[in-house]
Amino acid sequence: MAKVHLTGAQATMLATLYGRALDAESSHPLLNDTMALDAVRKIDADFGATGLHRSDRITVALRAGHLDAWTREFLATHPEATVLHLGCGLDSRVYRVDPGPGVRWFDVDYPDVIELRRRLYPPRDGYETIASSVTDPAWLTRVPADRPVLVVAEGLTMYLREDEGRALVRRIVDRFPAGQFVFDAFSRRGIRMQRINKVVQVAGATLHWGVDDGAELEAIAPGLRCVTALSAFSIEGYEKLGLGYRALVGVARLLPVMRRMSVFYRLEF
């Protein structure tokens, strides 16, 4: 088994991996990420101590599935594109999406995370990993800039400092001819409430960058447009859940503060 010793933001990827694995072994999986389940069985870690409750698997699966769907939509209209999966952690998104032969897919994360990925997941055509912090400008020079780009970032932006995140977006917009960013972000209030986020606290991580609306993101670089800003409580799938969970989501949708606390953004340039 692979021994894992992670702290801070990197440690939170064990919680989301565990959530996808719990979903896969449930009687009615929503995401059915069996590769996550296999990975958990190969890792020597106390997943029960990540701060993620078994019931949280529902939101983990739905949110991952939502970004998978946006990824497939982009690739359906851009069959020859570049995908940058930033802060990929141990997410098996490239295998779930299964892009066609015209797609170049790059998973980017810290060297120790990429080393662990290489031990857990098999190689595949058109897929590469880049061992680097996403905020280091040097890694982007390794990616050809001759195609439209899709940038996917799940559970990443809030761990970046605002100046780092804005600089990263500008570098990508400046390098590629066109593309999209799809990602989730917390509002500033969501950042302030990190003390009640059990996964973040257990990992010893700190959240930094909060985004309150799409206009803030559009101001990062010329030509950047926010085409979708969707509350995490409004994504498809919650209607399939139990009555109690649906009631909680319903309340969150009615309260603007809660509704805007976690939002999925889709930007175009």
Side-chain angles (χ1 to χ4, degrees), residues 93-120:
R93 174 163 283 118
V94 65
Y95 304 96
R96 295 196 305 268
V97 173
D98 191 24
V103 173
R104 290 187 301 226
W105 186 299
F106 297 86
D107 274 359
V108 186
D109 213 318
Y110 288 105
D112 52 348
V113 176
I114 294 300
E115 180 185 358
L116 181 56
R117 287 189 65 89
R118 291 169 178 165
R119 296 168 64 184
L120 295 173

Side-chain angles (χ1 to χ4, degrees), residues 10-156:
Q10 291 184 56
T12 62
M13 72 181 184
L14 295 178
T16 51
L17 177 68
Y18 184 45
R20 294 191 298 273
L22 289 173
D23 171 72
E25 69 176 1
S26 67
S27 56
H28 299 287
L30 300 173
L31 188 67
N32 199 29
D33 187 349
T34 56
M35 294 188 76
L37 184 57
D38 290 341
V40 163
R41 291 168 175 167
K42 295 174 183 176
I43 293 175
D44 182 6
D46 183 2
F47 286 96
T50 60
L52 185 129
H53 298 291
R54 295 186 69 88
S55 60
D56 293 335
R57 73 183 188 280
I58 298 169
T59 56
V60 170
L62 288 179
R63 294 180 184 207
H66 182 74
L67 285 181
D68 285 359
W70 274 2
T71 300
R72 293 188 183 99
E73 285 182 23
F74 182 88
L75 296 181
T77 56
H78 300 84
E80 293 189 351
T82 294
V83 177
L84 303 178
H85 188 194
L86 305 184
C88 60
L90 296 178
D91 197 330
S92 59
R93 174 163 283 118
V94 65
Y95 304 96
R96 295 196 305 268
V97 173
D98 191 24
V103 173
R104 290 187 301 226
W105 186 299
F106 297 86
D107 274 359
V108 186
D109 213 318
Y110 288 105
D112 52 348
V113 176
I114 294 300
E115 180 185 358
L116 181 56
R117 287 189 65 89
R118 291 169 178 165
R119 296 168 64 184
L120 295 173
Y121 299 132
R124 56 172 286 150
D125 291 341
Y127 169 62
E128 297 182 40
T129 55
I130 298 179
S132 172
S133 165
V134 298
T135 60
D136 184 345
W139 71 264
L140 194 55
T141 62
R142 298 172 52 183
V143 180
D146 57 338
R147 300 180 182 182
V149 67
L150 175 69
V151 181
V152 186
E154 180 180 355
L156 171 66

Side-chain angles (χ1 to χ4, degrees), residues 213-215 217-218 223-229 264-268:
D213 59 50
L217 299 168
E218 291 178 334
L224 198 58
R225 296 181 299 112
C226 179
V227 295
T228 309
F264 285 89
Y265 290 99
R266 179 159 45 182
L267 310 179
E268 288 185 350

